Amino acid sequence: MKRFLILAISLFANVCLLHSQENFFPKHDGEKKSYSITVKYKAMELQGILVVKQVEQCLRCTLVNQFGIKAFDFEYNIDKKRGKVSNAISFLDKWYIRRTIKRDLKKIFKNMDSLPVRDSAVDLSNLRLTIDYTIKPL
Amino acid sequence: MKRILFLAISLFIGSAVMAQDYTALNPDEKNRVMETINSAAANIGTMTCDFSQIKELSLMDDNITSYGKMYFNGGNRLRWEYIKPYHYTFILNGNSVLLISDDKQDKIDIGTNRIFSNIASIMMGSITGKCVQDGKEFRVSIYSSDKAYKIELTPVRKELRQIFSKINLFFDRANSIVNRVELLENTGDRTVILLENITQNKPIDEAVFNTGN
């Protein structure tokens, strides 16, 4: 009985912690939200600010570091489920990096209504390349 | 007709505002301004100020603004602290950099990290005006208006050229202190940093620059 109670309590706690949040990203034309983003790859960790704005049926994103220097722009077309990386800073402007960013961000926005939110942050792991993303509203 | 007149007047007013532009200085004037700025920079022992950083995002035709505080203590000690809308602190002390965010601290040796050594030298060189003396790093053009000098720095080194197309420093003519920095990126974005409530040569607690060494 005691074991059952512990299981029930931990399940309840998990449900409270882990839930999808429909309004995590902008939902309306003109709406803009800012997030802190952490990207971990092997021993490297990058932190920055991700700004997302909905313009008609498109989510426009810019990732900058805290000093304001842009890493790249990303556009996601909600209807067509297509993404495009542009204006990448020179050291990120390699086809394989652009492709990885595009694939991973597309995955996030494609599932934006059902992404699990834990401690008010969204986590995504690219298991093949071992890249971890954490996005948290500012 | 009324509409055309209105448009013409608006265009005239617009160009009149733009006409408060900067004019290029001749070599003699340029040398004189350089001397003034260099001597003002040499007299900066300590400096503190508030700053607002306006990042213009070309893709979304929008801005993000952050606010913070800056402390500088001669040579190579700098604390650049964002307070709103996020907490992030960059402390440079000699060759070591400490980055403090909400949940963690990272220590970096700038001797081994070129990006941070570039950021550190641009930030310190810009706020103190020492960038202007650096002929190896930048090609310098100087412009003047009634109230300010505009120093246009074009990066020479490839590493900087890959990020910035230009860095503009605006010096108040009254005291030769930088009060506005513009960072123009190759990607078409611009970051404007406005320095306010500037105080110079007042003692600063050394703990502000502690990187844990």
Side-chain angles (χ1 to χ4, degrees):
Chain A
M1 178 63 189
K2 205 173 169 186
R3 198 177 291 171
F4 174 75
L5 198 66
I6 291 169
L7 184 70
I9 290 170
S10 50
L11 272 175
F12 176 73
N14 274 338
V15 169
C16 291
L17 273 172
L18 196 71
H19 59 281
S20 65
Q21 194 176 315
E22 285 190 6
N23 295 320
F24 191 83
F25 290 112
K27 280 287 184 184
H28 311 288
D29 188 19
E31 191 184 356
K32 181 181 80 173
K33 288 186 177 180
S34 300
Y35 310 82
S36 70
I37 179 166
T38 307
V39 184
K40 287 181 192 165
Y41 174 63
K42 293 181 181 168
M44 194 176 73
E45 184 175 310
L46 299 171
Q47 286 192 328
I49 310 295
L50 180 72
V51 186
V52 184
K53 184 177 181 178
Q54 182 164 346
V55 179
E56 294 172 354
Q57 276 312 294
C58 194
L59 287 172
R60 293 185 176 175
C61 317
T62 297
L63 189 116
V64 295
N65 71 3
Q66 282 81 357
F67 301 107
I69 298 164
K70 176 154 73 183
F72 58 83
D73 287 326
F74 177 76
E75 285 181 82
Y76 178 73
N77 188 307
I78 300 166
D79 288 341
K80 295 177 182 162
K81 296 183 173 40
R82 280 196 191 145
K84 186 182 149 198
V85 176
S86 57
N87 298 322
I89 195 166
S90 58
F91 66 88
L92 293 178
D93 201 12
K94 314 272 186 287
W95 68 267
Y96 48 90
I97 297 178
R98 285 200 308 269
R99 188 180 67 178
T100 306
I101 294 168
K102 180 179 150 180
R103 282 183 179 168
D104 291 348
L105 287 182
K106 220 171 105 178
K107 194 175 273 176
I108 290 173
F109 291 123
K110 212 169 159 184
N111 301 299
M112 63 183 167
D113 289 336
S114 56
L115 285 169
V117 179
R118 190 193 291 271
D119 295 337
S120 72
V122 157
D123 296 303
L124 178 90
S125 292
N126 179 329
L127 297 173
R128 198 170 63 86
L129 297 172
T130 61
I131 307 173
D132 295 317
Y133 301 83
T134 302
I135 302 172
K136 198 173 183 175
L138 279 180
Chain B
M1 180 62 193
K2 211 172 170 183
R3 201 176 289 174
I4 293 170
L5 195 67
F6 177 73
L7 185 69
I9 291 170
S10 322
L11 278 173
F12 173 74
I13 292 170
S15 56
V17 171
M18 296 287 281
Q20 203 186 36
D21 262 355
Y22 290 83
T23 50
L25 299 182
N26 66 41
D28 282 349
E29 289 170 324
K30 188 179 165 180
N31 288 338
R32 219 174 315 127
V33 173
M34 289 274 265
E35 269 174 34
T36 311
I37 287 170
N38 290 346
S39 97
N43 286 327
I44 300 176
T46 67
M47 184 172 161
T48 59
C49 69
D50 299 320
F51 68 84
S52 37
Q53 177 182 291
I54 303 132
K55 172 73 186 170
E56 297 173 359
L57 304 165
S58 51
L59 179 72
M60 46 191 87
D61 199 17
D62 215 324
N63 298 337
I64 42 169
T65 306
S66 26
Y67 303 89
K69 223 167 163 45
M70 188 283 293
Y71 305 82
F72 170 74
N73 192 350
N76 49 11
R77 276 169 294 177
L78 174 79
R79 183 186 179 101
W80 189 265
E81 182 175 1
Y82 293 92
I83 295 165
K84 219 172 96 180
Y86 48 86
H87 286 272
Y88 186 80
T89 307
F90 172 97
I91 305 170
L92 169 76
N93 195 336
N95 261 341
S96 100
V97 164
L98 183 69
L99 301 173
I100 308 170
S101 57
D102 281 334
D103 49 356
K104 63 185 295 225
Q105 297 194 357
D106 277 316
K107 210 168 161 183
I108 291 157
D109 178 3
I110 57 165
T112 58
N113 192 316
R114 280 181 174 183
I115 294 175
F116 278 100
S117 92
N118 282 339
I119 290 175
S121 67
I122 287 174
M123 285 166 83
M124 289 210 299
S126 301
I127 53 176
T128 58
K130 283 177 183 159
C131 269
V132 179
Q133 307 162 14
D134 204 337
K136 279 185 195 162
E137 295 281 346
F138 301 103
R139 217 173 55 240
V140 181
S141 307
I142 304 185
Y143 303 85
S144 160
S145 77
D146 292 347
K147 291 185 175 169
Y149 296 119
K150 177 185 170 187
I151 315 287
E152 207 176 81
L153 304 170
T154 309
V156 174
R157 263 194 312 131
K158 192 183 166 197
E159 275 173 342
L160 278 184
R161 270 193 287 126
Q162 284 179 334
I163 304 173
F164 301 111
S165 58
K166 263 192 182 82
I167 297 169
N168 294 328
L169 308 179
F170 295 81
F171 290 79
D172 187 337
R173 279 184 78 135
N175 53 17
S176 304
I177 292 177
V178 178
N179 54 18
R180 179 187 172 101
V181 178
E182 290 179 355
L183 305 166
L184 283 75
E185 289 168 51
N186 291 328
T187 55
D189 282 8
R190 184 171 74 146
T191 305
V192 178
I193 299 168
L194 303 172
L195 307 176
E196 289 159 335
N197 306 321
I198 300 169
T199 59
Q200 284 191 342
N201 300 328
K202 297 249 170 80
I204 302 174
D205 186 352
E206 270 303 305
V208 162
F209 306 106
N210 187 7
T211 56
N213 270 343

